[in-house]
Amino acid sequence: MSDTQTYQHGGQDGEAGFGDYVLLLKPRVMSLVVFTAMVGLLVAPVHMNPFIAFTSILFIALGAGASGALNMWWDADIDAKMRRTKGRPVPAGRVAAGEALGVGLALSGLSVVMLGLAANMLAAALLAFTIFFYAVVYSMWLKRSTPQNIVIGGAAGAFPPMIGWVAATGHVGLASVLMFGLIFMWTPPHFWSLALFMKDDYSNAGVPMLTVTHGRKATRTHILIYTILLAPVAIGAAFTSIGGPIYLATSVVLNAGFLRGAWAIWRRDEVQAEADNYAVEKKVFRFSLMYLFLHFGALLAEAALRPYGLGGW
Amino acid sequence: MSFQPDHDLHKRRLGRNLGLGLSLIAFVVIVFGITIVKVSDQPRPWAKKAQPATSVSSGASATVSGPAAGTKP
């Protein structure tokens, strides 16, 4: 009875369901981490025990989820001000901020130790650095202080395929650096195109996104520049040990499409964008998701076909 | 006497406890699985003794003696 009274009196505080704790781990981001880490691990030119491979990917994903929980603990104040994030468990009052911190710290330790035991210490160290980079360098430091937050913070999202590769091989190779570079260079145009049509969110929260600090025209120019810089990194991976004709063809087509979209964004102004409710920006944002998925899908296809003499050069 | 239906609070609590319980079981299974794989992959020192030792018996034929491969001495 007293439980019920507490619950009714205090809203949903302290009585979250299991799903709320899962939401703390940002499952949509985790799905991308699982996919890219899995590709990084599977394209590595070594055999790995399937169970160890599965657990390695699981703990990389868990580490990413832990950093997401730490991010939600730290950013609860600004999450509450943004439409996109105000329904998250902490700002919505379903999970206490301290609980998010506890979950984040516990899962960080667990995932790093278990990855070290399952795979190797270098992979565990990289995972620990990724969690630190996302929670401390990006969330606590860069996000609220510089419009380059997305550029530098993008490194945190770029590490999973490299960790997957290191879990399999035990060392950092050129191919894993290029997979890192692909996500790192992809992140700014992806998020800036989102920032263009979620226009009030970041300014309301006081987050210095490029759209807020340098204006929307400058953001459009930055999207074009980063998309141009992204193309050689993405296509360059075709000529490494993990690339091949399938990846090369996929990458050329996708980069042409992304460049076309970035060009279209650059040519527009706010009046045109408002007139069609940011249709081009939304289309480029959706295309950028497909862009990354298909690049890593092509790498996976090369690796899958290699035993039959079809993948690779 | 009839039981009152569970309050939403209790449903949430049950879901949380079940989720945590299943997560812990999954963790135990994973640790057990990793242990089995790691132990299976370890080099077995006694395997050295399993090298086929040949001894020449009377005549030209060679017979293998010593412990069978992979068996403890």
Side-chain angles (χ1 to χ4, degrees):
Chain A
M1 181 69 182
S2 60
D3 282 344
T4 310
Q5 281 174 340
T6 308
Y7 177 71
Q8 286 171 339
H9 183 70
Q12 295 185 328
D13 264 357
E15 285 299 344
F18 187 70
D20 291 317
Y21 292 97
V22 174
L23 285 177
L24 275 184
L25 310 183
K26 298 191 178 181
R28 286 176 69 182
V29 176
M30 271 174 85
S31 64
L32 185 67
V33 169
V34 166
F35 179 62
T36 56
M38 184 186 74
V39 172
L41 191 143
L42 291 177
V43 301
V46 292
H47 172 73
M48 198 174 184
N49 182 290
F51 189 75
I52 297 297
F54 164 74
T55 51
S56 296
I57 294 165
L58 182 73
F59 291 122
I60 295 169
L62 203 59
S67 63
L70 293 173
N71 169 272
M72 284 203 197
W73 159 68
W74 184 259
D75 279 346
D77 57 334
I78 56 176
D79 280 353
K81 294 175 186 166
M82 296 199 283
R83 259 180 307 149
R84 190 171 65 87
T85 55
K86 67 182 180 188
R88 286 177 174 175
V90 179
R94 297 195 300 275
V95 175
E99 275 189 294
L101 173 64
V103 169
L105 288 176
L107 291 185
S108 296
L110 182 82
S111 58
V112 169
V113 169
M114 290 307 297
L115 183 64
L117 291 172
N120 56 64
M121 287 302 148
L122 182 57
L126 273 173
L127 181 63
F129 179 72
T130 305
I131 295 169
F132 168 80
F133 197 89
Y134 187 69
V136 178
V137 178
Y138 171 70
S139 300
M140 295 183 187
W141 178 33
L142 295 172
K143 188 172 178 179
R144 301 176 193 225
S145 61
T146 168
Q148 297 301 314
N149 49 16
I150 286 300
V151 179
I152 308 166
F159 272 114
M162 182 183 270
I163 302 173
W165 174 279
V166 172
T169 63
H171 62 83
V172 178
L174 172 67
S176 74
V177 173
L178 283 170
M179 285 190 283
F180 172 93
L182 174 60
I183 302 179
F184 182 72
M185 295 304 297
W186 163 88
T187 306
H190 169 74
F191 272 103
W192 283 331
S193 55
L194 172 74
L196 280 174
F197 63 84
M198 299 293 283
K199 55 183 204 170
D200 293 331
D201 260 14
Y202 292 108
S203 53
N204 289 346
V207 177
M209 282 297 274
L210 202 62
T211 44
V212 180
T213 59
H214 289 67
R216 311 177 76 73
K217 184 62 195 167
T219 306
R220 291 173 187 278
T221 306
H222 273 70
I223 289 174
L224 180 61
I225 291 168
Y226 273 87
T227 310
I228 292 168
L229 293 174
L230 168 66
V233 177
I235 296 171
F239 304 102
T240 65
S241 61
I242 57 173
I246 299 168
Y247 176 85
L248 179 62
T250 307
S251 187
V252 167
V253 170
L254 289 172
N255 278 285
F258 207 2
L259 281 167
R260 192 161 160 255
W263 178 259
I265 285 181
W266 182 72
R267 288 190 63 187
R268 281 154 68 86
D269 57 25
E270 283 311 297
V271 177
Q272 289 172 301
E274 296 249 2
D276 63 6
N277 196 25
Y278 294 88
V280 173
E281 289 79 1
K282 287 176 181 172
K283 193 175 163 191
V284 172
F285 176 75
R286 284 195 297 271
F287 181 84
S288 69
L289 287 169
M290 189 69 77
Y291 174 96
L292 196 68
F293 177 76
L294 289 178
H295 265 94
F296 278 85
L299 288 176
L300 199 57
E302 295 281 5
L305 292 172
R306 198 161 288 136
Y308 307 102
L310 295 169
W313 295 108
Chain B
M1 181 181 165
S2 64
F3 290 105
Q4 288 188 343
D6 277 353
H7 190 276
D8 187 51
L9 168 73
H10 298 107
K11 287 179 188 164
R12 279 172 173 268
R13 194 172 285 175
L14 176 67
R16 206 173 62 202
N17 291 341
L18 280 175
L20 184 61
L22 290 173
S23 301
L24 287 172
I25 291 168
F27 180 66
V28 170
V29 170
I30 285 168
V31 171
F32 181 70
I34 290 173
T35 307
I36 296 295
V37 172
K38 292 286 175 184
V39 168
S40 306
D41 286 349
Q42 288 292 315
R44 282 163 284 185
W46 58 83
K48 278 185 181 174
K49 294 179 182 173
Q51 294 291 329
T54 55
S55 64
V56 180
S57 62
S58 59
S61 64
T63 58
V64 177
S65 64
T71 58
K72 286 185 180 179

